[in-house]
Amino acid sequence: MKAFNVETGIVMPLDRVNVDTDQIIPKQFLKSIHRTGFGDNLFDGWRFLDEGEMGKTPNERQINHEFVLNDPRYQEARFLLARENFGCGSSREHAVWALMEYGFRAVIAPSYADIFFSNCFKNGLLPIVLEEEKVEQLFRLCGGDTAVSLTVDLPSETITLPDGETVGFAIDPKRKVSLVKGLDDIGLTLAHKADIEAFEQTHRRNMPWLFDRLTGEARGSE
Amino acid sequence: MAARTLYDKVWDAHVVGVRDDGQTMLYIDQQLLHEVTSPQAFEGLTLAGRAPWRIDANLATPDHNVPTENREAGIEGITDLIAREQVETLDANCRRFGITQFDILDPRQGIVHVVGPEQGATLPGMTIVCGDSHTSTHGAFAALAQGIGTSDVEHVLATQCLVQNKAGNYSVRADGRLPEGVSAKDLVLAIIGRIGTAGATGHTIEFHGEAVRALSMEGRMTVCNMSIEAGARAGMVAVDDRTLEYVQGRPFAPSGGRWAEAEAYWRALVSDPDAIFDNELVLNAGELVPQVSWGTSPEMVIGIDAAMPNPADARDEGQADGIRRALAYMGLNADQPITEVKLDRVFIGSCTNSRIEDLRAAAAVARGRKVASSVKQAMVVPGSGLVKAQAEAEGLAQIFVDAGFEWRAAGCSMCLAMNPDKLQPGEHCASTSNRNFEGRQGHGGRTHLVSPAMAAAAAIAGHFTDVRALS
Ligand code: SF4
């Protein structure tokens, strides 16, 4: 997982509630068997006027100049400012991969859908939860003619605005450690291999019907 | 011990311990795999040189990408080469690791959330995960079933554990009985309409009350399926006789002495009478009418007797903006009655409503009638190969075909339109699926979520109509 410490960059405002993962990365791009190649299709249905398909590059497409992602001011955006319930809908982790590949390092919103929220931490995309008023304040700040640059400092849990004002945010300390250090999540769990084995033995004794079920049968039609 | 909810009980029975970073490791009894969210997980496992922890806890089937026509051709029938590679990759991974798979030609193939319960792979009290948000479906069996992302698919393959914080408890109680012609789908749509798509975020919902108890297992699966549309990662229904009757005798369910042992444990999978929930919704099921979604979020839903909302009546500017945007996308006007909406296509299927009971309900409406000539396409896609075979044996398939519906092979199909079944821009579709997001069923497509009976009625009338008036 990619570590997150201190990042500075432009923030792009996306003023819509309930942005779902079908919008973040539409289904036709989920056919890939790889973890990469999604950045060019981030917000595909809003970003382009024509229907996207895998393999087409952005310069072959009809750009929707109305959509904020195509605004020249935000070409280098690293933070996404969003509204409530961001990332709702499908569990597709491709949404997080697409945001990161495009260049986003953090999302700032009042609330997130659960699965999207945990998918973020698995990849090193920082989902910052801020109160409604603070999000509103940031949207107002973004209302001017020039793009706004922020500094997000995860260790100290602060966002620094252009005028030097800092806004604090809170993050689950358990998740913070892994993110700051970029730790391997599976490795962290496998460090408890003996605990899992011990649990499994007891579980097998208590509920034997849950074991040795899907073996040696049902091999498909080959 | 303090009084516990059903969710508390299943959670407690699976806690392995706490990791060094303070997060809880929850043991997973069953993982379901499909072609879209598993390839990167298997690749990650291979790259790290890790082996799956427990092969016998996994079951796979391709569903999202498979075509619903020309199924006899198997893999060769997938004309989209990229989609085909994905299905082939699932085959290869299952073969390589020895994971049980019902492949594209297997009669048991189908939508994972239909196949699991049908095979008795889903059992009460289990923890179940799948790289798919509608895993919540399996909660109908008092299982703790959750959708996860691909990194977690890999994590569960490698460790048999899911690392997470415990959610809150949300009680949704439906009192009374659903009136004739009003189904489990209408109930869950009405619930989502009330609490909103983020209403139960951070919670596990337990559905209870007289109306839920009266539902068949199929109906309970429909309700739990859409927990995610209410923001909850999991929805659950307590065990009763009906649960056990459904499970008994299924291929992967225990039998003999094992059954008796399991049954004794399963019977206790109910919330204690004095258990405390963090949140509660009570509704009277007896007052519900058939529901139709009008907008681009599952919470944008109204009764068949109602009209589109008017942004002028919104509680704030944010909501007004949402209504305007949705009406514009859907090509509809404020205050327009929902019965005026004409349909271009009708889709009966998806993990929400593609089980035998759903097909029976739709066929009861279609019997002896004809799909309106203004409807370009009406299709019925059974949830699994076995549901398809049963519907054919019961004569339901013939009823659909006689009425002008297309009868297809099992898969996700037009629920998300990853395969060739999709809407054209601007088309309105009456769909028994679970999501009406922009473009969900095809670029520019306009989805209206309804029950199977309401979808069939809309196909016959050519526009939305109250199914209760038809029968
Ligand atoms: S039927 Fe639809 S919602 Fe269900 S698993 Fe398939 S794509 Fe997802």
Side-chain angles (χ1 to χ4, degrees):
Chain A
M1 180 187 48
K2 199 163 176 172
F4 193 111
N5 267 284
V6 182
E7 300 272 351
T8 298
I10 287 173
V11 58
M12 182 191 101
L14 179 63
D15 197 356
R16 300 188 186 206
V17 297
N18 297 330
V19 171
D20 58 81
T21 52
D22 272 80
Q23 306 315 322
I24 300 174
I25 183 83
K27 75 261 171 168
Q28 63 266 40
F29 307 107
L30 309 188
K31 289 174 190 163
S32 167
I33 57 168
H34 306 291
R35 260 177 196 264
T36 52
F38 303 105
D40 283 349
N41 302 106
L42 175 69
F43 296 120
D44 201 89
W46 290 338
R47 183 174 167 188
F48 302 106
L49 296 169
D50 55 337
E51 184 177 357
E53 54 185 89
M54 273 181 75
K56 258 196 196 170
T57 59
N59 45 24
E60 300 169 71
R61 309 282 304 277
Q62 277 169 264
I63 309 284
N64 175 10
H65 293 285
E66 303 285 295
F67 186 56
V68 62
L69 197 84
N70 294 320
D71 186 320
R73 287 177 293 175
Y74 302 121
Q75 290 318 295
E76 298 295 317
R78 314 208 65 189
F79 308 122
L80 177 65
L81 179 64
R83 295 286 185 186
E84 66 195 48
N85 200 27
F86 186 81
C88 62
S90 150
S91 61
R92 57 187 74 164
E93 196 162 318
H94 312 65
V96 174
W97 300 336
L99 285 162
M100 289 192 74
E101 194 174 320
Y102 182 84
F104 287 112
R105 294 292 288 121
V107 185
I108 305 170
S111 60
Y112 301 86
D114 290 339
I115 305 179
F116 176 84
F117 192 70
S118 58
N119 284 343
C120 285
F121 287 98
K122 305 284 169 180
N123 293 277
L125 179 69
L126 174 63
I128 299 175
V129 182
L130 274 193
E131 297 97 275
E132 205 79 59
E133 309 87 78
K134 288 187 185 160
V135 169
E136 196 52 57
Q137 182 194 347
L138 289 176
F139 268 107
R140 273 200 305 274
L141 196 65
C142 291
D145 289 337
T146 50
V148 172
S149 177
L150 304 175
T151 296
V152 173
D153 183 328
L154 177 57
S156 73
E157 302 181 12
T158 55
I159 301 172
T160 308
L161 310 186
D163 64 0
E165 184 192 340
T166 60
V167 177
F169 62 89
I171 178 168
D172 179 354
K174 301 171 224 155
R175 287 175 145 149
K176 180 174 165 180
V177 190
S178 302
L179 201 48
V180 170
K181 295 192 180 150
L183 297 178
D184 167 26
D185 194 43
I186 296 178
L188 280 176
T189 302
L190 284 178
H192 297 271
K193 191 160 182 266
D195 297 335
I196 306 172
E197 282 167 352
F199 175 89
E200 196 167 58
Q201 269 185 16
T202 314
H203 198 49
R204 185 190 276 269
R205 253 198 321 277
N206 293 342
M207 303 184 204
W209 58 85
L210 295 178
F211 289 80
D212 306 322
R213 312 168 64 227
L214 302 167
T215 46
E217 215 261 323
R219 275 291 110 82
S221 60
E222 299 170 71
Chain B
M1 196 182 284
R4 294 184 298 164
T5 64
L6 168 60
Y7 169 54
D8 296 339
K9 290 180 184 182
V10 180
W11 172 275
D12 291 349
H14 290 87
V15 172
V16 170
V18 174
R19 228 163 57 160
D20 291 344
D21 63 354
Q23 297 201 71
T24 303
M25 294 176 284
L26 196 68
Y27 188 83
I28 299 302
D29 295 318
Q30 170 89 66
Q31 169 148 248
L32 301 165
L33 298 158
H34 65 82
E35 76 277 26
V36 175
T37 55
S38 67
Q40 296 89 349
F42 282 112
E43 186 190 48
L45 206 63
T46 309
L47 285 176
R50 290 174 173 135
W53 183 280
R54 229 188 99 192
I55 298 293
D56 76 307
N58 294 281
L59 176 64
T61 193
D63 54 6
H64 284 64
N65 260 333
V66 296
T68 55
E69 288 182 299
N70 191 21
R71 184 56 67 78
E72 314 71 57
I75 294 268
E76 305 299 316
I78 311 181
T79 49
D80 177 339
L81 296 181
I82 308 172
R84 183 158 147 181
E85 184 184 16
Q86 210 167 42
V87 176
E88 285 170 340
T89 304
L90 181 65
D91 282 349
N93 283 323
C94 288
R95 230 174 317 176
R96 183 153 144 248
F97 293 102
I99 289 171
T100 301
Q101 189 201 184
F102 301 151
D103 71 12
I104 189 167
L105 283 169
D106 192 299
R108 296 164 295 185
Q109 173 274 341
I111 307 171
V112 275
H113 311 310
V114 174
V115 169
E118 183 173 81
Q119 290 295 319
T122 299
L123 296 175
M126 272 185 154
T127 45
I128 301 176
V129 295
C130 174
D132 188 283
S133 56
H134 291 99
T135 309
S136 57
T137 310
H138 309 262
F141 293 83
L144 174 55
Q146 310 180 73
I148 55 176
T150 296
S151 293
D152 272 336
V153 172
E154 182 183 342
H155 192 284
V156 173
L157 278 169
T159 70
Q160 212 54 45
C161 290
L162 182 67
V163 172
Q164 65 177 182
N165 296 324
K166 194 172 174 218
N169 281 291
Y170 202 125
S171 157
V172 172
R173 198 180 83 213
D175 293 332
R177 288 288 184 117
L178 288 171
E180 190 66 32
V182 182
S183 71
K185 180 65 163 289
D186 302 302
L187 173 62
V188 72
L189 285 172
I191 292 168
I192 297 160
R194 293 208 194 166
I195 70 174
T197 52
T201 300
H203 292 79
T204 295
I205 300 178
E206 181 176 346
F207 297 98
H208 49 165
E210 190 190 348
V212 175
R213 293 260 74 89
L215 292 175
S216 64
M217 289 314 292
E218 284 87 350
R220 294 177 191 182
M221 284 190 253
T222 300
V223 171
C224 288
N225 174 273
M226 291 192 74
S227 306
I228 185 78
E229 273 68 49
R233 204 159 173 175
M236 301 174 89
V237 175
V239 167
D240 61 11
D241 290 341
R242 200 161 276 176
T243 319
L244 301 180
E245 275 159 29
Y246 183 98
V247 174
Q248 196 157 29
R250 305 249 162 205
F252 294 111
S255 55
R258 277 267 157 98
W259 172 270
E261 214 180 334
E263 179 177 348
Y265 174 70
W266 293 340
R267 290 271 177 201
L269 294 173
V270 297
S271 287
D272 294 331
D274 44 352
I276 297 180
F277 289 84
D278 307 296
N279 249 310
E280 186 186 46
L281 171 78
V282 179
L283 77 172
N284 183 356
E287 290 171 354
L288 293 180
V289 301
Q291 306 282 304
V292 184
S293 79
W294 61 268
T296 53
S297 163
E299 70 189 27
M300 295 173 163
V301 64
I302 51 178
I304 184 67
D305 51 357
M308 308 300 157
N310 192 319
D313 304 329
R315 68 179 129 72
D316 54 42
E317 191 38 44
Q319 195 194 30
D321 184 53
I323 294 174
R324 271 192 295 266
R325 210 191 278 276
L327 285 173
Y329 179 85
M330 296 298 287
L332 299 169
N333 302 317
D335 300 324
Q336 185 182 0
I338 190 78
T339 47
E340 279 183 9
V341 177
K342 295 193 177 59
L343 283 322
D344 300 289
R345 291 179 207 265
V346 174
F347 170 66
I348 297 175
S350 89
C351 57
T352 316
N353 284 126
S354 63
R355 298 177 181 82
I356 192 69
E357 182 188 278
D358 302 313
L359 303 190
R360 287 184 193 135
V365 175
R367 184 192 300 270
R369 298 191 169 104
K370 289 273 180 239
V371 171
S373 57
S374 56
V375 172
K376 292 177 210 161
Q377 181 186 38
M379 59 197 290
V380 185
V381 185
S384 71
L386 296 182
V387 170
K388 179 169 188 271
Q390 187 177 351
E392 286 166 0
E394 289 184 15
L396 306 180
Q398 198 56 49
I399 294 174
F400 288 124
V401 171
D402 290 346
F405 286 85
E406 294 174 23
W407 179 246
R408 299 292 188 92
C412 295
S413 180
M414 209 198 276
C415 172
L416 94 163
M418 266 186 90
N419 77 349
D421 310 333
K422 57 177 89 160
L423 300 182
Q424 296 303 311
E427 287 183 344
H428 286 270
C429 178
S431 178
T432 65
S433 56
N434 45 44
R435 287 192 174 132
N436 53 348
F437 298 144
E438 289 182 23
R440 170 78 179 182
Q441 295 191 292
H443 187 70
R446 295 159 170 170
T447 301
H448 300 272
L449 306 174
V450 285
S451 73
M454 282 289 286
I460 307 293
H463 56 84
F464 285 113
T465 186
D466 193 334
V467 66
R468 296 170 303 175
L470 268 183
S471 49

